[in-house]
Amino acid sequence: MWPELLPQLCNLLNSEDYNTCEGAFGALQKICEDSSELLDSDALNRPLNVMIPKFLQFFKHCSPKIRSHAIACVNQFIMDRAQALMDNIDTFIEHLFALAVDDDPEVRKNVCRALVMLLEVRIDRLIPHMHSIIQYMLQRTQDHDENVALEACEFWLTLAEQPICKEVLASHLVQLIPILVNGMKYSEIDIILLKGDVEEDEAVPDSEQDIKPRFHKSRTVTLPHEAERPDGSEDAEDDDDDDALSDWNLRKCSAAALDVLANVFREELLPHLLPLLKGLLFHPEWVVKESGILVLGAIAEGCMQGMVPYLPELIPHLIQCLSDKKALVRSIACWTLSRYAHWVVSQPPDMHLKPLMTELLKRILDGNKRVQEAACSAFATLEEEACTELVPYLSYILDTLVFAFGKYQHKNLLILYDAIGTLADSVGHHLNQPEYIQKLMPPLIQKWNELKDEDKDLFPLLECLSSVATALQSGFLPYCEPVYQRCVTLVQKTLAQAMMYTQHPEQYEAPDKDFMIVALDLLSGLAEGLGGHVEQLVARSNIMTLLFQCMQDSMPEVRQSSFALLGDLTKACFIHVKPCIAEFMPILGTNLNPEFISVCNNATWAIGEICMQMGAEMQPYVQMVLNNLVEIINRPNTPKTLLENTGRLTSPSAIPAITIGRLGYVCPQEVAPMLQQFIRPWCTSLRNIRDNEEKDSAFRGICMMIGVNPGGVVQDFIFFCDAVASWVSPKDDLRDMFYKILHGFKDQVGEENWQQFSEQFPPLLKERLAAFYGV
């Protein structure tokens, strides 16, 4: 809106007066930071065509401050690949190289930052110089100015994501690995900030700003026991545990770089690391020993195979480190052990699991808050890996977790809820024993009563209770009424507040919808855990009316949780859902939009559950949803990123496939004509799923549809054969259906054609069909 501004500032850069020039640059740098996109648009007549060549001239200025401003200004335009910069890219890179050994740390830092971004955006221009850039970055990663070293260290993180990483870096590992390992030690300033000399602080209340906001992950419907074990590496939680220094620093960056490089180079990293590790792990100075434990944790994911021979010796040493006199050594040992939990659990329990669990439980009751936190998080990871292996120790585990309730300050309480919820998820119905319920429920209910409806601490507590209710099943009955009522109240309050806000935004604040999402999810947990027992609670509340509103909320996470609850209520007490079906079905139909993959999956699952209850009465609603479901199942495999948030789902189309099968089971005449349009993706998405109720109903549906429209399956019959062969032990009547279809097809085409057809089968498929169905 002020067209004279940029030309005037650019003119001032030429001023003889140093202060004017510096002031103009300072202003320009802020403008470039705030408006990089606008500056590269036609809206302003492309001022960058003038500005970028101008900035490049100042790379050679005699004042380091001006040089630094000039690089910082140009750096703003790298990531967006601004045309004016791309036209001058070679000059830019040349000028950067010229400044590589500048005396001024701020200039060196901006040079490093530029090279890191260019690596991502214009690696083609760097490749010819890659050898010398790597040499340069090796030096800068050891720069005596930590800010420069940190910027340079980012280079290794970015390089690891490039396809050429292995080829260009392999010969430099021998220099790089010791540098990264050295950067993983706490600096003296870190130790002061972390109060590394304070061993006992459990009695000191937390300051509120220490507690990071948590985000509730809305409930996603996942199919039980899918065949492939998901890759449980949630990076956010993995990275090492100095939360007090949550600002990024050289230690964290070095550790992250080692982690990603371990994933690139795998075992090839170890010859450079193992000689160093021995010296670190047994070092008399705690700071050095601590960094060795961090190194061991950082490489756990990438180098697991190569580390296995050393683990029988290392794990006992790490378990010993859990009782080190330094709190920071104890806490890092917790984290590193959690990274090897999968291996620990794969060994006989008395070997490592039992000693590890015993020591970790002691650490949960450590006098140091950081250790408590690390131990609780590590224990949650161990629970996920060990699952029912923990059952024999439940009494002891619960005693510890319940004791921690009385001991923990605010921040760690929130992590404790997570450890309890994960325990419930891991041992399931084994938790439903009177003595365990007696230990666990009173402290949880006491917290529940202490918290007000507006307190965000309800989120983790509600999540925890949802897991506990699902695990305890009927054991939760004595506690369900007040919990149920409060959840309904939370939903009602949030909806009312949202309504007020929509009508009078100037008078009211927008509600925090997380309260409603978490409450809906706990109601799902109750419905799933209590089954038919939830019927009376539903009867005495207006939850169906509220659900009708939630299903139409503007926020996808609210809809996602609403559909999960609808599916669970459909299974638990359909008599209360049935009167609403005519209103609910059109809403479910409009939410079959794969743009919101989790909403779509949950809506799809709910439709499938409704089919199973409605039977033939589903007929009027088939057309509302069928076309969308067929479209979804035919989408090319949804990119992996969309699946990250759906929990255990291996193939995205499994839920649509099951629902299509169930629709066909209850209304075969309506669905069968479309068979040819979905049979192939239907078969491929269900072959990876273990035998279970959902799969059973879906396959019955497909068999009935083939009965109505056998022509629809002819072209893709090999896929059907393959899907049938994926069953380990179908129920007898389902096996008969398969038998009839396979033999019917064989008789139809004749022996000779069948021989030709079955020639295309992979050997394993041939064997299975012959053994189970005699074809």
Side-chain angles (χ1 to χ4, degrees):
M1 307 299 285
W2 182 8
E4 300 80 23
L5 174 65
L6 289 173
Q8 180 58 13
L9 284 173
C10 286
N11 284 338
L12 290 175
L13 294 179
N14 301 330
S15 167
E16 295 296 309
D17 174 33
Y18 171 78
N19 289 331
T20 306
C21 175
E22 193 201 305
F25 245 132
L28 278 165
Q29 185 179 332
K30 292 183 178 60
I31 292 170
C32 291
E33 280 171 18
D34 291 343
S35 316
S36 63
E37 279 180 34
L38 183 62
L39 290 172
D40 188 31
S41 65
D42 288 328
L44 299 175
N45 205 358
R46 305 226 168 248
L48 288 188
N49 294 340
V50 179
M51 288 164 70
I52 285 201
K54 181 113 194 152
F55 294 154
L56 288 171
Q57 291 168 6
F58 283 88
F59 277 36
K60 299 193 162 70
H61 197 278
C62 58
S63 148
K65 191 133 196 202
I66 302 280
R67 294 197 298 273
S68 178
H69 274 312
I71 309 171
C73 284
V74 179
N75 281 357
Q76 296 306 320
F77 303 103
I78 299 178
M79 293 313 281
D80 293 331
R81 298 181 166 81
Q83 195 50 52
L85 177 55
M86 293 302 129
D87 296 342
N88 290 286
I89 195 82
D90 291 328
T91 320
F92 176 45
I93 290 173
E94 238 167 85
H95 282 38
L96 283 174
F97 288 169
L99 292 176
V101 287
D102 201 284
D103 297 336
D104 184 76
E106 201 56 30
V107 172
R108 293 197 304 273
K109 184 178 101 176
N110 282 330
V111 170
C112 289
R113 182 172 290 175
L115 288 170
V116 171
M117 290 191 285
L118 286 167
L119 191 57
E120 223 170 298
V121 181
R122 289 305 303 263
I123 193 166
D124 57 311
R125 311 310 291 158
L126 297 187
I127 285 175
H129 317 283
M130 196 52 93
H131 180 77
S132 36
I133 294 176
I134 287 175
Q135 285 302 327
Y136 174 65
M137 287 297 188
L138 286 167
Q139 288 176 311
R140 289 288 71 81
T141 307
Q142 307 172 77
D143 202 286
H144 47 259
D145 183 301
E146 178 167 338
N147 294 320
V148 179
L150 178 57
E151 282 301 332
C153 195
E154 295 278 356
F155 181 83
W156 314 115
L157 267 179
T158 305
L159 184 57
E161 287 164 6
Q162 307 302 321
I164 60 154
C165 175
K166 234 177 157 162
E167 161 195 346
V168 297
L169 200 53
S171 60
H172 301 279
L173 287 179
V174 62
Q175 293 162 281
L176 174 59
I177 299 302
I179 294 172
L180 290 177
V181 167
N182 194 40
M184 287 163 74
K185 291 202 292 273
Y186 278 124
S187 66
E188 289 175 25
I189 186 81
D190 291 342
I191 294 167
I192 295 166
L193 287 170
L194 286 170
K195 307 189 176 65
D197 49 348
V198 178
E199 290 303 316
E200 289 225 2
D201 60 356
E202 62 175 348
V204 183
D206 295 326
S207 71
E208 285 310 301
Q209 66 263 31
D210 282 349
I211 298 172
K212 290 212 286 268
R214 354 175 15 277
F215 300 101
H216 171 71
K217 295 200 285 288
S218 310
R219 192 172 176 99
T220 35
V221 176
T222 53
L223 298 172
H225 333 293
E226 300 241 349
E228 292 153 37
R229 212 176 143 271
D231 168 33
S233 53
E234 285 164 24
D235 296 337
E237 295 167 22
D238 270 1
D239 269 325
D240 100 67
D241 63 350
D242 326 344
D243 278 342
L245 292 187
S246 51
D247 39 350
W248 196 228
N249 57 20
L250 185 59
R251 166 190 164 87
K252 291 193 151 182
C253 189
S254 304
L258 189 60
D259 185 350
V260 290
L261 289 170
N263 277 299
V264 172
F265 286 96
R266 303 280 167 184
E267 282 61 60
E268 293 166 42
L269 214 58
L270 292 178
H272 307 289
L273 255 176
L274 291 173
L276 296 171
L277 259 176
K278 198 102 182 163
L280 299 172
L281 288 170
F282 297 92
H283 201 281
E285 279 180 60
W286 74 266
V287 176
V288 181
K289 175 167 151 182
E290 193 278 345
S291 72
I293 300 173
L294 172 58
V295 169
L296 203 52
I299 61 170
E301 200 186 328
C303 301
M304 183 59 91
Q305 285 321 105
M307 287 306 294
V308 165
Y310 306 99
L311 293 178
E313 193 186 339
L314 281 172
I315 298 293
H317 176 63
L318 287 170
I319 292 176
Q320 228 179 325
C321 294
L322 286 175
S323 44
D324 194 275
K325 57 180 194 301
K326 278 305 212 189
L328 290 171
V329 174
R330 299 197 298 277
S331 63
I332 199 66
C334 290
W335 178 72
T336 293
L337 280 160
S338 75
R339 300 269 287 174
Y340 290 96
H342 185 62
W343 181 84
V344 167
V345 171
S346 71
Q347 304 298 300
D350 286 353
M351 292 281 293
H352 304 291
L353 177 61
K354 212 168 158 186
L356 172 57
M357 193 180 55
T358 313
E359 284 307 307
L360 265 182
L361 288 171
K362 288 184 194 159
R363 290 294 67 84
I364 285 178
L365 303 180
D366 200 279
N368 180 280
K369 291 195 287 192
R370 171 181 305 281
V371 179
Q372 294 171 355
E373 175 186 1
C376 250
S377 302
F379 196 72
T381 306
L382 185 64
E383 289 169 338
E384 282 174 353
E385 290 289 351
C387 293
T388 49
E389 298 268 342
L390 297 178
V391 172
Y393 316 108
L394 265 174
S395 184
Y396 181 42
I397 294 172
L398 287 170
D399 284 339
T400 304
L401 297 178
V402 168
F403 191 79
F405 257 112
K407 194 172 162 77
Y408 277 14
Q409 297 295 339
H410 187 178
K411 178 183 172 188
N412 286 351
L413 260 182
L414 307 185
I415 298 165
L416 182 62
Y417 293 140
D418 181 55
I420 292 173
T422 308
L423 180 67
D425 294 339
S426 302
V427 300
H429 65 91
H430 296 284
L431 199 57
N432 189 7
Q433 298 291 336
E435 66 155 322
Y436 300 153
I437 297 175
Q438 247 348 91
K439 288 180 199 276
L440 183 58
M441 288 310 296
L444 284 174
I445 293 297
Q446 186 192 339
K447 290 288 173 203
W448 170 264
N449 291 332
E450 284 168 16
L451 293 175
K452 295 190 174 59
D453 280 352
E454 298 72 42
D455 193 328
K456 285 201 167 70
D457 280 9
L458 274 175
F459 299 166
L461 179 55
L462 283 158
E463 278 176 38
C464 170
L465 279 170
S466 178
S467 295
V468 169
T470 309
L472 290 184
Q473 298 174 350
S474 58
F476 198 78
L477 273 173
Y479 308 96
C480 64
E481 183 130 11
V483 173
Y484 179 90
Q485 288 309 339
R486 183 168 197 180
C487 288
V488 173
T489 307
L490 283 169
V491 174
Q492 200 154 7
K493 277 189 178 175
T494 314
L495 285 171
Q497 202 180 335
M499 183 96 91
M500 308 277 258
Y501 172 72
T502 320
Q503 290 166 355
H504 312 285
E506 66 295 330
Q507 288 175 29
Y508 294 97
E509 273 190 30
D512 180 345
K513 287 188 180 173
D514 272 354
F515 283 104
M516 173 155 78
I517 295 167
V518 183
L520 290 166
D521 288 348
L522 177 44
L523 288 169
S524 280
L526 287 174
E528 195 183 331
L530 299 174
H533 295 295
V534 83
E535 187 273 321
Q536 298 145 343
L537 295 170
V538 174
R540 293 199 295 269
S541 69
N542 60 341
I543 187 65
M544 297 316 293
T545 318
L546 298 174
L547 199 50
F548 181 63
Q549 288 171 269
C550 294
M551 286 165 52
Q552 299 173 78
D553 197 272
S554 57
M555 188 175 174
E557 290 79 2
V558 175
R559 301 200 301 276
Q560 179 182 331
S561 292
S562 314
F563 295 138
L565 177 56
L566 176 60
D568 282 317
L569 290 176
T570 299
K571 285 172 85 166
C573 53
F574 190 61
I575 60 167
H576 297 299
V577 178
K578 195 170 181 183
C580 316
I581 290 296
E583 284 180 301
F584 283 8
M585 281 309 298
I587 302 174
L588 284 162
T590 50
N591 277 280
L592 297 177
N593 167 11
E595 291 308 301
F596 299 106
I597 189 75
S598 302
V599 180
C600 180
N601 261 335
N602 288 6
T604 304
W605 176 73
I607 293 167
E609 291 298 340
I610 290 168
C611 286
M612 297 313 285
Q613 301 287 342
M614 290 283 281
E617 291 178 63
M618 195 67 189
Q619 197 258 324
Y621 307 108
V622 174
Q623 293 318 316
M624 272 179 204
V625 296
L626 183 58
N627 288 334
N628 283 354
L629 288 170
V630 172
E631 198 179 317
I632 292 166
I633 200 175
N634 275 296
R635 277 170 73 91
N637 242 346
T638 332
K640 187 160 169 13
T641 45
L642 289 179
L643 287 181
E644 297 304 353
N645 55 2
T646 57
R648 290 189 294 278
L649 229 94
T650 41
S651 71
S653 42
I655 290 180
I658 282 171
T659 294
I660 290 175
R662 289 176 154 189
L663 269 173
Y665 178 60
V666 296
C667 301
Q669 298 295 338
E670 280 69 27
V671 186
M674 298 200 54
L675 200 50
Q676 201 176 339
Q677 293 175 44
F678 62 74
I679 185 71
R680 183 184 284 201
W682 190 94
C683 291
T684 43
S685 62
L686 289 185
R687 62 188 298 273
N688 295 327
I689 292 189
R690 297 208 185 141
D691 299 6
N692 61 33
E693 283 304 310
E694 280 101 343
K695 186 169 173 173
D696 180 272
S697 53
F699 271 83
R700 287 172 192 273
I702 214 81
C703 291
M704 292 173 72
M705 288 187 275
I706 292 173
V708 174
N709 175 19
V713 75
V714 171
Q715 285 175 322
D716 297 306
F717 198 67
I718 186 166
F719 289 91
F720 177 73
C721 295
D722 180 52
V724 165
S726 75
W727 276 89
V728 183
S729 47
K731 294 187 181 145
D732 290 342
D733 58 334
L734 182 59
R735 183 186 298 246
D736 289 343
M737 291 166 124
F738 294 157
Y739 184 92
K740 287 197 180 87
I741 292 174
L742 292 169
H743 280 271
F745 186 84
K746 185 178 170 178
D747 299 344
Q748 193 70 41
V749 298
E751 188 64 42
E752 197 178 327
N753 287 337
W754 176 263
Q755 283 310 321
Q756 277 181 330
F757 174 67
S758 59
E759 279 310 301
Q760 329 162 31
F761 289 4
L764 191 68
L765 175 57
K766 233 181 177 151
E767 282 168 38
R768 294 197 68 149
L769 291 177
F772 286 103
Y773 301 100
V775 291

